[in-house]
Amino acid sequence: MKKKNIRNFCIIAHIDHGKTTLSDRFIQLSDMFYKITKENPEAQVLDSMDLEKERGITIKSHPIRLEFDIEGEHMIYNIIDTPGHVDFSYEVSRSLAAGEGAILLVDAVQGVEAQTVANTYLAIENDLEIIPVANKIDMQQANIPDTLDAIHELIGCKKEEVILASAKSGEGIQDILLAVKKRVPAPYGDDEEPLKALVFDSHYDTYKGVVSHIRVIDGSIRKGMKIRFMANQQDFEVMDVGVFKMGMVECDELTAGEVGYFSALIRKPEIVNVGDTVTDAKTPAIKPYPGYRKSIPMVFSGLYPINPNDYPKLRTSLEKLRLNDPSLQYEVESSDALGYGFRAGFLGLLHMEIVNERLQREYEIQLINTAPSVSYKIHLRNGDIIHVENPSKFPDPSQVKKIEEPIVDATVITPPEHIGPIMELSQMKRGQYQNMEYISTNRVMLKYQYPLSEIIVDFYDQLKSVSRGYASLDYEVSGYQEEQIVLVRILVNGSPVDALSFMCVKDQAHAKGKSIIQKLRKTIPRQMFNVALQAAIGGKVIARETIVQLRKDVIAKCYGGDITRKRKLLEKQKEGKKRMKMVGNVEIPQEAFLSVLKL
């Protein structure tokens, strides 16, 4: 195929602005074997996971190759449908690295939102040709003039350059296809140069092993040739190559500018790294293709199998899951209460939730998650600086000089009537106001700095609640600032439970500790002796609850008689309880962990 007839581009937008529906319309207009049925015209064809269909969101980037006849020329479009949620911006950055253009989709009802702005800046940084599209123009609530103004303010294009479309009805779709042909540049690259291909994604196949998704920059790749991964210098023989249609379709070779996949019977998932460059083992390229930004985990949580025998299965599942989600990072850890597990790093709370559900559905592992935390930068008195995201690794307070917590620069876009409640919420979350600007008559952009620990758990839900669903959020980590952070240990009958310990700001320690031990008091079964539940900072107890002992009525058999007999039985019971308390261990049931960790 001639390179001048190939276009590689992705679709970027805020969540729920119609990216996947637009992909569906492209598929309907192309010459595909698969057609969306008339009974279900709004099917999310590219959303292959049940989770994506259930939630109505895109979690994974999905590549597909479509063929069109446009203005008498046969064109090949390699399209990547990307996620829109802030937690999956890493998926977007990977998609941008594999193309030359991007369709910027803006909902004409909701207008420009926070993730629209963030993804647009990502596309500009990657020097991509941007095609602006105002979607959902057929809806009664659509405000087309304001949407055109907002897009003009965002990327500086002329208003007449914005394509008016409706992915649902099909209006304007032909105009978008034509604009892609005219505006998006054909891929560069030389077929005669040594092979150089960028790995932008991968997945695990039971029969083929690791399947690498690639964009060929220079040269070509075909079945039988020896290839080399430049990051680890490992060589393999290519077993098959192909392209993405409504599934993986084998072909003879992939040449410069094309997007596709190859497999080479790679059984160890750690060999393939997203962002690596694949080259010819016989005549390798001199320099690897410049990779794109690495993901930095923001939220950390422990993953423990409920059944300890599932630990090896969990390790294998995480290795396979990391193939097509390289932003997931993990390391082995153990807990006295929960046994062996992993400390995992996620991009956000939704990302953590999705990984949990995928492990449970795709790999059938029941998990316990410890409370999510962030990574604190701790300056020790000896001059060392350490990063601690696990409460069990918190150093001795006497060795700590100062502690810094991660700070994020956040953008909140909202209608003006919700500014007051959002500012109140931000104050509760220790937010620092930066500035405010009107991006249109009915849209305001607020800039805030928040501690990351304050927004990872329920901030997004609260923001949607106080703004009646209209506000949108985007954020990125900007640095660290000093704060009084303490380690709160939860003690059950004097013994610390490491899985329930947590790090937080000193001012919030009492409230959080109190809520956890109150929950524990309701879920731990009563014993034959009093059980003390305590939250402590160092040697100081800041909150306490008691699980009252069970009592056996030892004097029930005494019908009258001398009081000394009753006293003797009660004293005997008292001695027995003392002895039991000395050797008694309190077993904490799984339900107690689950109920507390839901906090």
Side-chain angles (χ1 to χ4, degrees):
M1 188 73 193
K2 294 177 183 176
K3 280 197 286 295
K4 71 181 183 70
N5 288 15
I6 298 175
R7 298 291 182 272
N8 300 320
F9 63 96
C10 61
I11 305 170
I12 56 174
H14 189 82
I15 191 168
D16 199 31
H17 277 213
K19 298 178 297 298
T20 305
T21 311
L22 181 62
S23 304
D24 290 351
R25 296 296 82 76
F26 286 159
I27 293 168
Q28 277 187 320
L29 291 170
S30 72
D31 238 357
M32 293 295 297
F33 331 105
Y34 180 92
K35 296 286 181 184
I36 303 173
T37 59
K38 288 178 182 176
E39 294 80 24
N40 188 15
E42 280 83 48
Q44 297 163 262
V45 174
L46 292 185
D47 286 350
S48 54
M49 281 189 266
D50 290 340
L51 269 174
E52 292 178 311
K53 292 183 187 294
E54 285 169 20
R55 291 171 177 251
I57 61 171
T58 301
I59 294 165
K60 283 288 305 160
S61 295
H62 299 282
I64 188 168
R65 173 180 167 134
L66 302 177
E67 299 186 19
F68 300 93
D69 289 313
I70 300 173
E71 293 186 328
E73 283 190 89
H74 190 67
M75 304 293 295
I76 287 181
Y77 285 5
N78 289 308
I79 305 170
I80 304 177
D81 175 26
T82 63
H85 194 279
V86 60
D87 279 11
F88 300 110
S89 58
Y90 180 65
E91 288 280 334
V92 179
S93 75
R94 290 159 53 189
S95 307
L96 296 173
E100 285 80 32
I103 294 175
L104 175 66
L105 208 59
V106 179
D107 186 336
V109 177
Q110 299 176 68
V112 168
E113 298 199 66
Q115 202 60 30
T116 315
V117 177
N119 289 343
T120 304
Y121 289 158
L122 275 176
I124 292 168
E125 282 171 24
N126 280 270
D127 200 24
L128 299 189
E129 180 64 39
I130 298 174
I131 299 173
V133 176
N135 191 28
K136 303 187 184 179
I137 59 165
D138 57 330
M139 295 188 72
Q140 284 185 349
Q141 308 96 311
N143 189 339
I144 296 170
D146 279 3
T147 305
L148 295 178
D149 287 340
I151 294 172
H152 168 69
E153 286 290 325
L154 180 62
I155 61 174
C157 67
K158 295 176 182 175
K159 292 180 185 177
E160 53 268 25
E161 289 178 4
V162 180
I163 299 170
L164 302 179
S166 167
K168 191 173 182 181
S169 68
E171 185 182 346
I173 305 300
Q174 292 285 4
D175 296 335
I176 299 173
L177 293 173
L178 186 59
V180 168
K181 181 192 171 188
K182 290 185 173 179
R183 296 193 212 173
V184 176
Y188 51 88
D190 189 344
D191 292 346
E192 304 306 317
E193 288 285 313
L195 171 66
K196 189 187 284 186
L198 173 72
V199 180
F200 69 89
D201 206 348
S202 58
H203 72 271
Y204 193 86
D205 184 279
T206 310
Y207 304 104
K208 297 181 178 183
V210 180
V211 178
S212 303
H213 303 193
I214 57 169
R215 155 71 196 272
V216 183
I217 310 298
D218 289 317
S220 61
I221 182 170
R222 68 193 71 82
K223 185 176 179 178
M225 76 181 285
K226 284 265 181 148
I227 53 98
R228 176 174 298 162
F229 290 95
M230 294 186 81
N232 50 33
Q233 296 294 303
Q234 296 216 32
D235 295 357
F236 295 92
E237 183 180 334
V238 176
M239 301 308 292
D240 69 334
V241 297
V243 295
F244 298 102
K245 292 204 172 180
M246 282 317 299
M248 297 193 301
V249 180
E250 286 191 35
C251 64
D252 296 330
E253 68 173 350
L254 293 173
T255 56
E258 291 194 282
V259 174
Y261 71 89
F262 78 88
S263 67
L265 287 183
I266 303 167
R267 293 295 176 190
K268 293 182 179 177
E270 65 271 14
I271 288 170
V272 180
N273 297 303
V274 169
D276 196 359
T277 301
V278 175
T279 189
D280 192 332
K282 292 179 182 175
T283 54
I286 300 166
K287 284 184 179 179
Y289 186 73
Y292 35 92
R293 68 186 180 100
K294 285 190 173 182
S295 67
I296 302 168
M298 301 297 164
V299 178
F300 297 86
S301 174
L303 297 176
Y304 293 90
I306 287 179
N307 180 358
N309 295 329
D310 282 344
Y311 173 74
K313 188 179 175 185
L314 175 59
R315 183 178 58 222
T316 308
S317 303
L318 283 168
E319 284 175 2
K320 292 178 180 177
L321 190 59
R322 194 174 183 278
L323 271 175
N324 64 358
D325 187 0
S327 52
L328 170 66
Q329 299 183 15
Y330 60 90
E331 60 181 28
V332 177
E333 77 167 4
S334 62
S335 158
D336 293 339
L338 301 174
Y340 285 100
F342 294 91
R343 190 80 185 168
F346 307 94
L347 297 179
L349 212 67
L350 177 65
H351 184 210
M352 182 177 108
E353 200 179 317
I354 294 298
V355 168
N356 277 357
E357 286 204 40
R358 289 187 68 185
L359 285 168
Q360 289 178 24
R361 289 187 184 201
E362 296 172 28
Y363 302 100
E364 297 177 346
I365 300 172
Q366 295 301 309
L367 294 171
I368 289 179
N369 265 73
T370 61
S373 65
V374 299
S375 179
Y376 295 98
K377 188 191 283 187
I378 301 180
H379 297 255
L380 302 178
R381 295 194 183 278
N382 62 6
D384 291 346
I385 298 174
I386 58 172
H387 288 265
V388 174
E389 71 281 340
N390 189 342
S392 65
K393 293 182 180 176
F394 198 86
D396 185 342
S398 64
Q399 305 298 318
V400 176
K401 183 181 178 184
K402 66 175 182 177
I403 301 176
E404 295 179 324
E405 65 176 346
I407 297 297
V408 299
D409 284 334
T411 303
V412 178
I413 295 180
T414 178
E417 59 266 27
H418 303 302
I419 292 174
I422 289 172
M423 284 185 158
E424 282 179 33
L425 175 65
S426 298
Q427 203 166 357
M428 280 170 50
K429 297 292 183 180
R430 299 189 288 133
Q432 294 177 1
Y433 172 78
Q434 302 295 308
N435 69 357
M436 177 174 75
E437 61 179 279
Y438 278 79
I439 54 176
S440 69
T441 52
N442 59 352
R443 299 302 254 188
V444 179
M445 184 159 66
L446 293 164
K447 295 273 191 181
Y448 266 92
Q449 271 197 340
Y450 297 105
L452 180 60
S453 59
E454 294 286 351
I455 66 170
I456 60 169
V457 179
D458 60 352
F459 180 75
Y460 191 70
D461 292 338
Q462 290 182 12
L463 180 69
K464 287 290 183 187
S465 177
V466 299
S467 66
R468 298 180 187 173
Y470 285 107
S472 59
L473 170 74
D474 180 60
Y475 61 85
E476 62 177 350
V477 174
S478 59
Y480 288 81
Q481 77 175 20
E482 189 176 349
E483 189 54 78
Q484 275 194 305
I485 304 296
V486 293
L487 171 67
V488 180
R489 293 180 306 137
I490 302 298
L491 309 173
V492 176
N493 213 30
S495 302
V497 182
D498 55 351
L500 298 178
S501 300
F502 60 92
M503 298 175 286
C504 74
V505 182
K506 192 174 182 179
D507 295 345
Q508 299 174 353
H510 174 263
K512 288 187 176 180
K514 186 83 176 170
S515 66
I516 285 178
I517 60 174
Q518 282 178 341
K519 198 82 172 176
L520 279 178
R521 185 172 64 82
K522 295 174 185 174
T523 49
I524 293 178
R526 290 170 69 189
Q527 310 291 318
M528 295 299 291
F529 49 89
N530 284 343
V531 177
L533 304 175
Q534 297 165 312
I537 300 173
K540 183 182 177 184
V541 174
I542 58 170
R544 175 186 169 121
E545 292 281 335
T546 303
I547 300 175
V548 182
Q549 63 188 9
L550 286 168
R551 289 187 63 86
K552 183 182 177 185
D553 193 356
V554 291
I555 57 173
K557 59 188 176 185
C558 299
Y559 300 101
D562 190 11
I563 188 66
T564 53
R565 188 178 171 212
K566 292 182 183 178
R567 194 171 289 142
K568 183 181 175 184
L569 286 169
L570 289 168
E571 289 295 327
K572 191 176 178 183
Q573 183 189 41
K574 195 174 176 183
E575 287 299 318
K577 292 217 180 216
K578 266 189 193 173
R579 195 163 54 249
M580 192 186 293
K581 195 172 182 179
M582 284 167 60
V583 296
N585 287 322
V586 181
E587 188 174 329
I588 305 174
Q590 299 282 14
E591 299 78 46
F593 283 106
L594 292 170
S595 63
V596 168
L597 296 174
K598 279 176 188 171
L599 288 172

